[in-house]
Amino acid sequence: MLDALKLFLTIIEKGGLSAAGRELGLSPASVSERLAALEAHYGVALLTRTTRSLRLTEEGRTLAEGARRLLAESEELESRVRLGAEKLSGPVRLSAPVDLGQSRLVPLLDRFMEQHPDVSIDLDLTDGFVDLVSQGMDFAVRYGSLADSSLKAKLIGENRRVVCAAPSYLQRRGRPSHPDDLVHHDCLIMRFGLNSDRVWNFRIHGQPHSVTVKGRRTANNGELVRRWCLQGHGLCRKSVWDVQADLDAGRLVELLPEFNADRSALQIVYAPTRVQPRRVRSLIELIAAELAQPTTRRDE
């Protein structure tokens, strides 16, 4: 049964029966037969298949969550028997925003892997949405509110988004003194999937105030938006976690701090698995402890 569940998860993660077969050294016919046997065992359809796509049914999603829990417990048991209770081993798959991942997480992961040489890391850096269950992620570090109520979250700290610019841009275009001045500036736009972040939120005299910004450059990569800003191509709105070093060094200047109202959570989210492997728990605890340090503005 564990082998069948592993095959089922591989089909989901690889996005197809043929790809799963190549990963596990099985023929497409063998993969199809084993999937059919698993569906017959539970008496339900686990996947909806077309010529171009493969999607989990509700029963398939439930099985995927349980399968990951069972396989994690199996790996944990084998690790304890073979290597002893104190040694961590096995893979950890996680997702994080591009900037935060490169600047803050990668050094932590390097240190974690040095301390635990039998642990491997699969890091997905993206500023877009990641379905943790269907993509087989152990957890993700995310900004903002928890959209998927089926996930659990561990709060790390508060994320403050700031408007900033390079000194070279401010010398050329001037410094905005009010949020409404932003309509006269080139703004660097982040795109999340199909949605562009063109509405920037502020607070004036205690009341919310939104400004629709415009600009010539839009990207779905936060690191690229930051680089454009450093090069003086426009104003950007970024998490303070991503630009704190630039603010401290004077490479960027925070703008309109007295109007800043855009605060949200920085958190670790994960599927509601009853038991996570110790390697996953240990890495989550390390990330939460290291990133829980408060960030401040340069003038505070």
Side-chain angles (χ1 to χ4, degrees):
M1 178 57 73
L2 290 178
D3 287 341
L5 294 177
K6 181 178 180 180
L7 172 62
F8 177 58
L9 293 180
T10 304
I11 293 171
I12 298 171
E13 291 162 12
K14 296 299 178 181
L17 276 63
S18 297
R22 288 192 295 270
E23 177 75 12
L24 300 175
L26 299 172
S27 68
S30 179
V31 173
S32 182
E33 289 174 1
R34 297 186 187 196
L35 176 60
L38 190 63
E39 290 180 323
H41 174 80
Y42 287 107
V44 295
L46 301 174
L47 298 169
T48 301
R49 284 163 280 177
T50 68
T51 56
R52 293 188 176 182
S53 67
L54 179 149
R55 301 183 66 178
L56 285 167
T57 63
E58 188 60 36
E59 293 80 7
R61 189 178 183 89
T62 299
L63 180 62
E65 294 175 359
R68 289 198 176 89
R69 181 175 67 248
L70 291 173
L71 290 171
E73 292 175 350
S74 175
E75 291 173 4
E76 181 81 357
L77 177 60
E78 182 173 356
S79 175
R80 286 175 173 267
V81 171
R82 289 180 178 271
L83 302 175
E86 299 306 317
K87 193 168 185 178
L88 302 182
S89 68
V92 180
R93 302 189 68 202
L94 67 149
S95 177
V98 176
D99 271 3
L100 184 71
Q102 291 178 339
S103 64
R104 302 293 296 273
L105 285 186
V106 169
L108 295 182
L109 298 179
D110 289 342
R111 194 169 78 209
F112 188 78
M113 295 177 73
E114 287 177 4
Q115 295 171 349
H116 307 288
D118 292 312
V119 170
S120 62
I121 298 292
D122 185 341
L123 174 61
D124 178 54
L125 291 180
T126 177
D127 292 316
F129 173 79
V130 174
D131 187 327
L132 299 185
V133 174
S134 66
Q135 297 190 29
M137 297 290 175
D138 292 302
F139 65 93
V141 181
R142 287 183 179 171
Y143 294 125
S145 58
L146 191 59
D148 186 345
S149 60
S150 69
L151 298 177
K152 292 186 176 180
K154 180 180 181 68
L155 181 65
I156 298 176
E158 185 181 70
N159 170 43
R160 183 169 62 90
R161 298 183 77 187
V162 298
V163 177
C164 51
S168 61
Y169 176 91
L170 298 177
Q171 291 172 4
R172 190 174 71 253
R173 297 290 303 273
R175 180 171 184 151
S177 59
H178 188 278
D180 290 340
D181 295 339
L182 294 176
V183 299
H184 304 298
H185 285 266
D186 284 328
C187 294
L188 304 169
I189 311 298
M190 266 294 298
R191 177 166 48 80
F192 301 95
L194 299 176
N195 300 315
S196 296
D197 182 30
R198 296 182 179 276
V199 179
W200 293 6
N201 300 314
F202 300 91
R203 189 167 290 275
I204 299 177
H205 302 305
Q207 298 300 314
H209 184 80
S210 297
V211 178
T212 300
V213 300
K214 59 184 179 180
R216 298 170 59 206
R217 297 173 186 249
T218 300
N220 66 343
N221 183 291
E223 194 277 332
L224 177 56
V225 169
R226 171 180 163 271
R227 195 188 323 150
W228 281 342
C229 192
L230 287 167
Q231 293 169 349
H233 292 303
L235 311 181
C236 75
R237 186 173 68 149
K238 293 283 293 175
S239 163
V240 71
W241 295 81
D242 298 337
V243 296
Q244 187 68 62
D246 298 317
L247 295 173
D248 291 340
R251 293 186 294 267
L252 293 178
V253 177
E254 182 178 351
L255 306 173
L256 307 172
E258 65 273 30
F259 300 103
N260 196 338
D262 215 359
R263 296 174 182 264
S264 60
L266 176 65
Q267 53 195 350
I268 294 174
V269 298
Y270 52 92
T273 305
R274 183 169 55 87
V275 176
Q276 290 174 321
R278 282 196 316 122
R279 61 182 180 273
V280 175
R281 297 198 306 271
S282 296
L283 183 54
I284 288 177
E285 290 167 3
L286 173 65
I287 292 173
E290 292 287 337
L291 296 190
Q293 304 304 317
T295 56
T296 59
R297 295 202 308 268
R298 295 177 68 242
D299 59 347
E300 289 180 335

